[in-house]
Amino acid sequence: MGNNLNGYAKRYERKGKMSGRTKRQHVVPRFYLRHFTQADGELWTHDCVSGNARRSTPEKTAYETNIYTPIGEDGERIELIEDALAKIESQAALIYPDLLSFRPLSNDAKQDFAVFLATMFARSPAQLRQFAQIMAQMGLWAGKHDMERDYRKKEENGSLSSLDAIIRDLLHRNDIYTMSVDRRVGLIAFQQAETLADVMTRMAWNYEISESQQVATSDNPMFWVKGGGPAGIGSEGFGLGNPFAVIPFPLSPNVILRLDWHPEIAWKKMKLDRRRAKLANQYQAKYKERFLFFRDQDHGLSTLAMKYKDPANLFDAGVTSPKIDVVRKL
């Protein structure tokens, strides 16, 4: 993670250095949300926990305190991720006008924006939570494996006690205990950013334009879905390199940047009819962690957000485990 983000930070080096540090860290960049605001600079935030929608500015929504700045062994905050994100966002903001003008990007600009998209995936609370869960599951699996190995050794040399058998039984009873894991463990998600950016750079990029239905975004706007292909292929559990993978990334209430594996078309403007625009909103509601964002008040979008109010769970470690609670701090 450190090497990847250090590389990005050097690539997007800016003159000058901000004094102090930012404690209020946005899980969705402010510059990005500004493209979903009304003329007065406000947008709607629907919170699926409270069930309410409120108007606010990008500065006053979608943030948490120190979410990307864990405390190191020396007791100081580690600023690497937050600093790198700020530089990546600054570069993406410069590219954004070209995207909203439907211009083809240069290879360098495309790569830079792919880095932004990759970090939008990694920084999401949904991804941090799921990566933390995966790490906890794998840690539990490794611990059980070690325990089982020791148990077999004791069984072979005749030193097995009744207490050993009781402990073994308890550790395999996933239904009787819950494990808590610090969400900061999920920061390992940033290790995926470089690989994702490289893959996205090779995909075909196009624009989908909605004229009759506003497009929403969320606190987890970067994901991929199944776009076509045999019915037997599920919409979850396949990688971005799958030939049927599609990224529908909202750029504004009217424009979606579509990435897919159809190289025969690139940088085209395609009409997004009302039905498909609603499907895009359904994806945003389904894959969000907590918040859905949109420009104009829309009771239909609020209803959609509550229909999919439970956080998405798209990762599967392939091992059984007790219930894992991801907490902000242990």
Side-chain angles (χ1 to χ4, degrees):
M1 177 174 67
N3 289 338
N4 291 349
L5 290 177
N6 270 327
Y8 294 150
K10 290 178 181 178
R11 182 174 183 180
Y12 305 126
E13 192 68 42
R14 295 179 296 177
K15 293 181 179 179
K17 186 175 179 63
M18 296 176 61
S19 60
R21 59 178 303 275
T22 303
K23 296 181 180 179
R24 179 184 289 188
Q25 297 164 6
H26 283 76
V27 299
V28 185
R30 289 166 289 178
F31 94 86
Y32 173 71
L33 288 180
R34 290 187 191 113
H35 293 284
F36 292 84
T37 59
Q38 299 176 338
D40 61 3
E42 293 190 332
L43 76 165
W44 287 91
T45 296
H46 183 278
D47 182 346
C48 69
V49 173
S50 68
N52 298 320
R54 62 181 177 86
R55 293 190 72 199
S56 63
T57 62
E59 288 71 23
K60 296 180 179 180
T61 191
Y63 66 85
E64 291 188 26
T65 301
N66 291 320
I67 184 172
Y68 304 119
T69 49
I71 297 176
E73 294 181 359
D74 59 358
E76 297 294 324
R77 292 282 176 184
I78 301 173
E79 304 285 346
L80 171 64
I81 295 176
E82 179 66 10
D83 289 347
L85 288 177
K87 292 165 184 173
I88 291 168
E89 289 171 25
S90 295
Q91 188 66 21
L94 296 176
I95 298 169
Y96 226 89
D98 287 336
L99 292 171
L100 292 181
S101 297
F102 311 117
R103 300 188 185 102
L105 298 184
S106 67
N107 289 336
D108 286 344
K110 184 179 181 182
Q111 185 174 18
D112 288 343
F113 203 78
V115 169
F116 169 70
L117 292 176
T119 55
M120 287 290 281
F121 172 85
R123 73 191 291 170
S124 160
Q127 306 305 336
L128 298 182
R129 171 180 54 81
Q130 291 179 100
F131 271 83
Q133 288 174 328
I134 287 289
M135 294 303 295
Q137 286 178 312
M138 298 308 295
L140 279 170
W141 177 82
K144 289 181 179 180
H145 177 74
D146 289 342
M147 179 273 298
E148 193 67 25
R149 182 180 56 194
D150 292 341
Y151 183 90
R152 295 302 178 190
K153 284 184 178 180
K154 289 183 178 181
E155 192 175 43
E156 290 173 1
N157 62 31
S159 63
L160 190 65
S161 68
S162 58
L163 181 59
D164 290 324
I166 292 173
I167 293 175
R168 176 176 181 256
D169 180 65
L170 288 175
L171 287 177
H172 284 290
R173 292 278 306 279
N174 292 329
D175 59 318
I176 65 173
Y177 63 95
T178 298
M179 179 181 182
S180 295
V181 60
D182 194 317
R183 188 178 59 179
R184 288 170 295 185
V185 173
L187 291 173
I188 195 173
F190 281 94
Q191 289 187 335
Q192 307 297 312
E194 185 173 26
T195 299
L196 287 176
D198 289 342
V199 174
M200 287 187 285
T201 300
R202 300 197 303 268
M203 299 176 78
W205 295 28
N206 290 283
Y207 302 106
E208 294 186 314
I209 304 167
S210 174
E211 298 178 351
S212 58
Q213 169 67 50
Q214 72 167 322
V215 173
T217 190
S218 73
D219 56 1
N220 183 38
M222 217 312 289
F223 51 81
W224 52 94
V225 297
K226 175 179 173 288
I233 298 179
S235 60
E236 300 171 358
F238 66 89
L240 185 54
N242 187 287
F244 302 109
V246 175
I247 294 176
F249 184 76
L251 293 175
S252 77
N254 307 104
V255 181
I256 289 176
L257 179 65
R258 176 188 172 96
L259 280 63
D260 60 31
W261 295 103
H262 296 290
E264 65 275 9
I265 58 171
W267 302 115
K268 300 295 184 183
K269 295 167 57 178
M270 299 180 290
K271 182 178 180 181
L272 191 67
D273 61 34
R274 188 176 182 85
R275 180 189 64 81
R276 293 182 61 238
K278 286 186 173 182
L279 179 61
N281 287 337
Q282 180 179 318
Y283 284 138
Q284 289 296 325
K286 181 178 179 181
Y287 287 91
K288 73 181 186 313
E289 177 73 357
R290 177 174 178 176
F291 299 117
L292 195 67
F293 308 105
F294 40 94
R295 182 188 59 197
D296 302 320
Q297 186 175 20
D298 190 320
H299 294 295
L301 286 175
S302 294
T303 300
L304 188 65
M306 293 308 294
K307 180 179 179 181
Y308 298 101
K309 65 179 181 179
D310 295 332
N313 285 292
L314 303 178
F315 296 162
D316 185 358
V319 296
T320 59
S321 72
K323 182 178 183 294
I324 297 175
D325 289 332
V326 179
V327 297
R328 291 191 181 184
K329 185 177 181 181
L330 286 176

